[in-house]
Amino acid sequence: MNNSHPEEFILLGFSDRPWLELPLFAILLITYPMAMVGNIAIILVSRLDAHLHSPMYFFLTNLSFLDMCYTTSIVPQMLFNLGTARKTISYLGCAAQLYFFHIMGGTECLILAIMSFDRYVAICKPLHYTLIMNPRVCTLLVSTVWLTGITYAVSEATATLQLPLCGLNKLDHLVCEIPVLIKAACGEKAANELMLSVVCIFMLAVPLCLILASYACIGHAIFKIKSSEGRRKAFGTCSSHLIVVFLFYGPAISMYLQPPSSISRDQPKFMALFYGVVTPALNPFIYTLRNKDVKGALVNLVRGIFTSK
């Protein structure tokens, strides 16, 4: 291990505002189990209910699994640091968190774009939907998304970990995140900032543009539907996904598409809480509350459990 790297990091978090720590601890203690239960429920109903064996729910299952891993990569460490006076994480623990957090985040950026493409094909090319979105294509798309997310995270996190820290072991954050580590590094880091910006344009800006283009076409197609019931159903299917897109992409873009040196002190903390905790907890409720198929499948699952008992 490079001697410029400390054995452990002190995650300062909100230590300058201790009155925030107990409410945050309580919120995380509630939202984390909610996120896990909600996403597990969506995975179960998508796999057990034959009516939900379609590309849309195949992608939704992957999104739920991503959200579970995403929030698990940071929340247990947050709870430990908020609940104790010892606010440290080992160097290896920080590196592991860096890799897992960004693998899940990068993959989620792309899976949301794939889901918008699925909705585009379903609404704009309904007669060719089963031909285009066949199981082989869906599996290939998801595999490509995971491989791309892993490649992004491994390359970017490895480059960040090579930066010298000159013995500094204090990070003004709740978790180990690439922009915060770049900001804390000493020496020349302009190349890392440029690399992060370029990679994030491809991981954030390009998928978001594709999503917006898909929904522009979808909106045009919806207005052509003569039946008000058909328009309402199409809009209801797409609106859930759009809400999730803006909840995830908004904070991520404000955090990653600007130079780390220009990031304000508290911005990384609140952004990490939002896209790492709030969004994974809300996603299952957004999809279930606005989707009759998922609600019906959940009711049937619960009814089946109690009937068997």
Side-chain angles (χ1 to χ4, degrees), residues 38-62 64 118-119 129 138 233 237 287-288 291-301:
N39 285 298
I40 288 171
I42 284 183
I43 292 171
L44 284 176
V45 298
S46 297
R47 302 314 303 161
L48 297 177
D49 195 310
H51 297 97
L52 303 183
H53 290 177
S54 66
M56 176 182 174
Y57 297 103
F58 173 67
F59 297 132
L60 182 57
T61 300
N62 275 272
S64 294
D118 172 67
R119 292 300 83 207
Y129 181 71
C138 293
K233 186 176 180 181
T237 303
Y287 277 108
T288 54
N291 190 309
K292 290 181 180 178
D293 293 335
V294 178
K295 280 194 288 188
L298 277 172
V299 170
N300 291 336
L301 179 64

Side-chain angles (χ1 to χ4, degrees), residues 92-113:
L92 291 177
C94 181
Q97 187 179 75
L98 199 70
Y99 282 109
F100 281 107
F101 183 65
H102 289 90
I103 285 172
M104 300 307 158
T107 307
E108 183 152 343
C109 290
L110 301 175
I111 201 80
L112 289 171

